[in-house]
Amino acid sequence: MAPALLLQVPPPGIVEGGWEYVVAAYAITAAGFLIYAASVFARHRRSEEEEK
Amino acid sequence: MILPRLASPNLAFALVALGVLLLLAGSYYGLFVSPQERYMGDVQRIMYVHVPSAWNALLLFTLAMGCALAYLWRGGWGWDAHHEALLEASAVLSFLLCVQGSIWAKPTWGVWWDWDPRLTTTAVMLLALLGILALRSAVDDPEKRATWSAVATIIAFVDVPIVYFSVRWWNSLHQMQSSPETVSAPFIVPLRLNAFGVLALMGGLALLRARVAARRTAKELGPALPPMPAGAALEA
């Protein structure tokens, strides 16, 4: 392998890039929290209205 | 039935707001301030949402088990309401935990899922939580629902220490637990901010959810019986 090409190959065992996975993990987590919070708020409000 | 003593909704809303602030700060730090990890690069940033989800899923399941034990031992609808709320919050976190782990596994292990001991026992925990919640929604009698689901929670809780120690007991693709001694300071700050953020957010939501569960039980049990007139017991 030519020396210039060797420099471009990352060492084995090192992950390069991957921001799309990071964005996906944070987006799904945020969506999960938002949906669950909205569900709890809605059920809480409905139960308060039913009590009145 | 008189509603059991529950935390004020203002405390719950304050906890939710605190949780959102901590999560925003922790996620900003984790995404933009914290340095790249040497081997996993940017992908390691998933740790700042994955590990707090794991810690809090196990913690909330443990608290749910405590409420189940307290209900069986001492009775009280407040314990049952908190039991239900904590089970649901733990199930949400366990689901997110599995999804985040799967997303992290693809670039690091090359697969979305592996029947590794840690992943398998976590999936079992999620299924157990969903099963107990399904049991609760299937039983109409409040006393049977509370008792049966409390027993089911105590049995299912056996999986929690297995999840935690699975990476030590068996050969696992999943890494071992880290400690502050083995993690650099710039990685600890966002991890702790998000861990307390998830705890405050889900704690606040669980307090609100407990109020919903308590009101439903109160409605099912009907109004409290009027006080018995003097002598009525002897006549009956």
Side-chain angles (χ1 to χ4, degrees):
Chain A
M1 198 179 283
L5 193 59
L6 266 178
L7 287 175
Q8 291 170 9
V9 178
I14 293 184
V15 179
E16 290 214 324
W19 265 104
E20 65 274 24
Y21 294 103
V22 179
V23 170
Y26 277 73
I28 288 171
T29 305
F33 286 151
L34 274 174
I35 292 167
Y36 184 59
S39 152
V40 172
F41 287 147
R43 284 182 283 173
H44 183 252
R45 195 173 54 192
R46 201 180 316 134
S47 76
E48 276 194 331
E49 283 169 1
E50 280 174 7
E51 198 181 47
K52 286 173 191 170
Chain B
M1 177 206 172
I2 299 166
L3 271 174
R5 282 187 65 186
L6 298 168
S8 118
N10 291 338
L11 172 65
F13 288 125
L15 278 173
V16 169
L18 175 67
V20 170
L21 287 176
L22 287 171
L23 280 169
L24 287 174
S27 298
Y28 177 79
Y29 199 109
L31 287 171
F32 304 114
V33 180
S34 183
Q36 272 192 344
E37 201 267 343
R38 186 183 298 171
Y39 297 106
M40 283 186 276
D42 289 317
V43 170
Q44 174 271 338
R45 298 179 198 279
I46 296 173
M47 179 184 79
Y48 305 128
V49 286
H50 182 64
V51 174
S53 299
W55 286 345
N56 284 291
L58 296 175
L59 175 64
L60 296 184
F61 197 170
T62 306
L63 293 175
M65 197 276 294
C67 290
L69 273 177
Y71 175 80
L72 291 178
W73 193 3
R74 302 182 59 183
W77 294 110
W79 293 118
D80 180 58
H82 285 99
H83 174 218
E84 180 174 313
L86 290 164
L87 283 175
E88 194 178 274
S90 182
V92 170
L93 288 176
S94 300
F95 172 74
L96 290 174
L97 176 64
C98 289
V99 176
Q100 295 154 352
S102 182
I103 293 171
W104 198 357
K106 182 61 180 166
T108 51
W109 298 346
V111 288
W112 292 103
W113 184 264
D114 184 83
W115 292 106
D116 159 274
R118 169 58 72 84
L119 276 67
T120 307
T121 52
T122 306
V124 168
M125 182 174 81
L126 172 60
L127 290 176
L129 287 163
L130 293 176
I132 301 165
L133 288 169
L135 171 71
R136 286 189 66 91
S137 62
V139 179
D140 292 330
D141 180 353
E143 289 192 12
K144 284 181 183 165
R145 179 174 62 219
T147 307
W148 293 355
S149 63
V151 172
T153 297
I154 292 164
I155 294 169
F157 183 76
V158 171
D159 190 44
V160 169
I162 299 175
V163 170
Y164 186 80
F165 289 109
S166 57
V167 287
R168 293 171 190 263
W169 290 343
W170 297 292
N171 282 327
S172 176
L173 267 176
H174 197 282
Q175 70 180 70
M176 298 258 280
Q177 293 95 346
S178 302
S179 69
E181 289 77 36
T182 60
V183 178
S184 302
F187 298 138
I188 293 175
V189 174
L191 195 57
R192 285 194 177 157
L193 283 171
N194 277 355
F196 284 111
V198 172
L199 180 61
L201 174 69
M202 296 309 268
L205 291 175
L207 291 178
L208 284 179
R209 180 65 183 79
R211 296 178 68 82
V212 176
R215 284 202 180 106
R216 187 205 54 219
T217 308
K219 199 174 160 187
E220 288 167 341
L221 290 171
L225 291 172
M228 197 176 280
L234 288 175
E235 287 164 18

